[in-house]
């Protein structure tokens, strides 16, 4: 199948990846209500078509923290991307650099920050807070030394949400011999993945925190390791602790409530990502796009506001820009593409989003992405 949309990349990834890894990418928490809302609420927003305007000049670029994004889409942090394609984080980072957009490396990626940075452009670095603050200080210093300029501090995962699909697939809860046999069977029945990732994509460790993982060495054990080692005591005051080691921009990821957004401003953050973790944490909360306008109204003039969750097309990107986001970050979209065929597919997917955004801008009469506003919408939420 020749992919034409994000849903096509999803189908290709479903065919190529072992079930446990596809379900990990594709699934959400509990009944996946919020996962569905993220997509449905974006679909429900109506764009306002305008015609007979000179759209010969189109500027899709946006300025973020002193750098230019070629168009307003970045790659969100996705855990364990190195299990979807050989050294997956490196491939995705190269695809993002080729497209002129940022790639954000997950703390729990297979590739280390040093490996990703050495492959080309240094990524943005996403931080989860571990209980061991000494190790955290070392990790921040490593990211800084690798050339990372932006820190994305994810605050909505003090523990992993309950993801039923991961239990059913054997990704979590299957230990010992049964777990090993399940993994082996899923690999053998997906020979292309077995050759590319399992045999030639090693080591299969969490590169950034490898030395902190003292038990549960299988990569599929990492969710239980998170539950034991992520710090639930973190408060807004800990931004000050982070700032002692990190002197670049700090973006707080995982904000839905305007009060929390105001706290991010008080804490000295330079940006925030309106996000519900892709519907993978607290099921039943509102969609990211429905939370965006109130956050923009509360703090839009004080910091850079991004959004992720449910973005499946360039049309979705324009809707988010119209409601006040500076740019969108996509997670599943690039994970599907990576699982479908590595760097070339991620590059193609980004090209798809860019082309879709161009069409949406032209047919709404918006020739400058940074000037998108609610006048592009027929019915705003």
């Amino acid at each position: 199948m020749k992919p034409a949309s994000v849903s096509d990349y999803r189908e290709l990834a479903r065919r190529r990846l072992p079930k446990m890894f596809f379900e990990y990418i594709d699934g959400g928490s509990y009944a996946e209500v919020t996962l569905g809302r993220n997509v449905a609420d974006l679909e429900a927003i109506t764009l306002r078509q305008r015609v007979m305007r000179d759209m010969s000049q189109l500027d899709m670029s946006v300025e973020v923290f002193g750098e230019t994004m070629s168009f307003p889409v970045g790659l969100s942090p996705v855990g364990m991307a190195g299990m979807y394609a050989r050294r997956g984080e490196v491939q995705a980072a190269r695809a993002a650099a080729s497209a002129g957009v940022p790639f954000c490396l997950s703390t729990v990626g297979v590739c280390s920050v040093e490996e990703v940075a050495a492959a080309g452009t240094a990524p943005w670095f996403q931080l989860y807070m571990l209980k061991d603050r000494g190790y955290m200080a070392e990790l921040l210093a490593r990211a800084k030394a690798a050339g990372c300029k932006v820190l994305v501090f994810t605050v909505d995962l003090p523990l992993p949400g309950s993801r039923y699909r991961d239990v059913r697939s054997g990704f979590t809860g299957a230990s010992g011999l049964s777990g090993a046999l399940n993994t082996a069977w899923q690999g053998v029945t997906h020979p292309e993945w077995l050759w590319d990732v399992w045999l030639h994509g090693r080591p299969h460790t969490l590169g950034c925190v490898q030395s902190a993982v003292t038990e549960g060495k299988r990569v599929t054990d990492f969710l239980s390791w998170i539950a034991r080692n992520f710090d639930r005591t973190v408060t807004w005051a800990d931004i000050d602790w982070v700032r002692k080691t990190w002197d670049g921009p700090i973006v707080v990821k995982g904000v839905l409530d305007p009060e929390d957004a105001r706290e991010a401003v008080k804490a000295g953050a330079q940006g925030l990502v309106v996000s519900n973790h892709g519907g993978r944490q607290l099921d039943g909360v509102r969609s990211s796009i429905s939370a965006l306008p109130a956050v923009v109204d509360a703090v839009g003039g004080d910091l850079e506001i991004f959004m992720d969750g449910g973005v499946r097309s360039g049309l979705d990107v324009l809707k988010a820009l119209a409601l006040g986001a500076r740019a969108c970050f996509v997670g599943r979209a690039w994970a599907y593409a990576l699982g479908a065929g590595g760097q070339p597919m991620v590059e193609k997917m980004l090209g798809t989003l860019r082309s879709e955004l161009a069409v949406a801008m032209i047919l709404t009469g918006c020739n400058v992405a940074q000037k998108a506003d609610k006048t592009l919408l027929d019915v705003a939420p």
Side-chain angles (χ1 to χ4, degrees), residues 61-72 100-103 121-124 147-150 249 304 306 326-327 370:
S61 66
V62 294
E63 297 293 325
V64 176
F65 302 130
E67 297 187 356
T68 301
M69 298 171 60
S70 68
F71 74 113
V101 299
F103 167 77
T121 305
W124 290 17
C148 301
K149 295 182 179 179
V150 179
E304 296 279 22
F306 309 101
R326 171 66 72 178
Q370 291 192 125

Side-chain angles (χ1 to χ4, degrees), residues 3-6 9 314 347-357:
S5 66
V6 169
Y9 295 105
E347 291 177 353
K348 184 175 176 61
M349 183 278 299
L350 286 170
T352 297
L353 294 184
R354 183 185 182 94
S355 297
E356 292 169 344
L357 175 61

Side-chain angles (χ1 to χ4, degrees), residues 226-296:
I226 287 173
R228 293 190 297 272
N229 290 277
F230 278 27
D231 192 348
R232 303 185 198 181
T233 71
V234 175
T235 69
W236 292 108
D238 288 288
I239 299 290
D240 290 335
W241 182 88
V242 172
R243 184 61 75 190
K244 292 177 182 178
T245 304
W246 189 269
D247 58 4
I250 295 175
V251 176
V252 176
K253 180 177 182 291
V255 173
L256 292 174
D257 192 281
E259 287 302 314
D260 286 337
R262 294 186 184 99
E263 291 292 339
V265 174
K266 292 177 185 177
Q270 283 69 50
L272 60 83
V273 183
V274 177
S275 172
N276 52 39
H277 216 100
R280 296 166 66 79
Q281 283 299 98
L282 181 60
D283 197 26
V285 298
R286 66 189 312 162
S287 65
S288 297
I289 193 66
S290 68
L292 178 62
V295 171
V296 171

Side-chain angles (χ1 to χ4, degrees), residues 147-169:
C148 301
K149 295 182 179 179
V150 179
L151 184 71
V152 178
F153 186 6
T154 298
V155 296
D156 61 353
L157 205 154
L159 79 169
S162 293
R163 302 167 192 171
Y164 297 155
R165 288 207 224 179
D166 291 343
V167 176
R168 293 168 184 145
S169 72

